[in-house]
Amino acid sequence: MHDENERQFAAHDQFARGIAYISSQDGAYQANLEKAMTCFQAALDLYSLERVPADWAKAQQTLGMTYRKLFLGSRQKYLNKALAALQASLEVYTREFYPREWACTQYEMALTYVSLLPTNRKVYLLKAISCLQACLDIYTYEA
């Protein structure tokens, strides 16, 4: 049990460090995103989907959002990784149990699909529209 607590503490620390890199005004933005990505991946190595599903999903979602913002190296590769991480977070972030997080993930997936537009424009545009329409189930005028 003690080891599991230490693992969780280390994972939370890595996640917080990643958030700090994303929020930092110091240094090059893209370099900070790469450092944040490394931290989120380290947190995911420590988080357990079975033991702390919400933390695992948040780390997946945030990793996906970070991948989408990266422009260094292979943009297509990062966008595909962004989609994979965002889709992974939906294992936990279901519409029924985490509606706001689910809608946020749908929105982030739409932004990612729009970024992929030059390759399969019509397919990705339709996927983006579908994700945005799904958001409207949660993000309503009344809410």
Side-chain angles (χ1 to χ4, degrees):
M1 181 70 161
H2 184 67
D3 289 340
E4 185 59 31
N5 288 340
E6 287 179 9
R7 253 178 98 80
Q8 294 308 317
F9 181 78
H12 290 313
D13 183 55
Q14 286 296 323
F15 184 81
R17 205 174 280 169
I19 296 295
Y21 279 123
I22 287 174
S23 305
S24 177
Q25 301 296 318
D26 296 334
Y29 181 67
Q30 291 293 303
N32 285 342
L33 289 177
E34 286 185 311
K35 291 174 187 175
M37 183 182 63
T38 300
C39 292
F40 297 137
Q41 288 171 328
L44 284 165
D45 289 342
L46 297 166
Y47 281 138
S48 162
L49 173 59
E50 294 77 28
R51 292 187 191 265
V52 286
D55 291 335
W56 180 86
K58 184 65 177 171
Q60 288 284 2
Q61 182 192 54
T62 309
L63 178 62
M65 293 163 59
T66 304
Y67 273 130
R68 182 179 53 78
K69 295 174 185 174
L70 277 168
F71 285 91
L72 299 174
S74 173
R75 178 88 169 124
Q76 290 296 114
K77 179 180 84 172
Y78 287 136
L79 292 171
N80 288 326
K81 286 185 175 194
L83 284 174
L86 291 165
Q87 288 169 340
S89 75
L90 293 175
E91 291 181 45
V92 176
Y93 286 165
T94 62
R95 185 177 190 276
E96 180 181 4
F97 294 109
Y98 292 91
R100 294 174 79 187
E101 291 83 356
W102 177 85
C104 177
T105 302
Q106 294 294 326
Y107 176 75
E108 291 295 332
M109 287 174 58
L111 294 177
T112 306
Y113 283 128
V114 168
S115 297
L116 282 166
L117 281 179
T119 52
N120 287 319
R121 186 171 183 82
K122 185 175 181 180
V123 171
Y124 290 129
L125 188 57
L126 290 172
K127 287 182 179 191
I129 290 168
S130 177
C131 289
L132 291 171
Q133 286 173 329
C135 290
L136 293 175
D137 291 342
I138 305 301
Y139 295 143
T140 63
Y141 180 74
E142 293 82 27

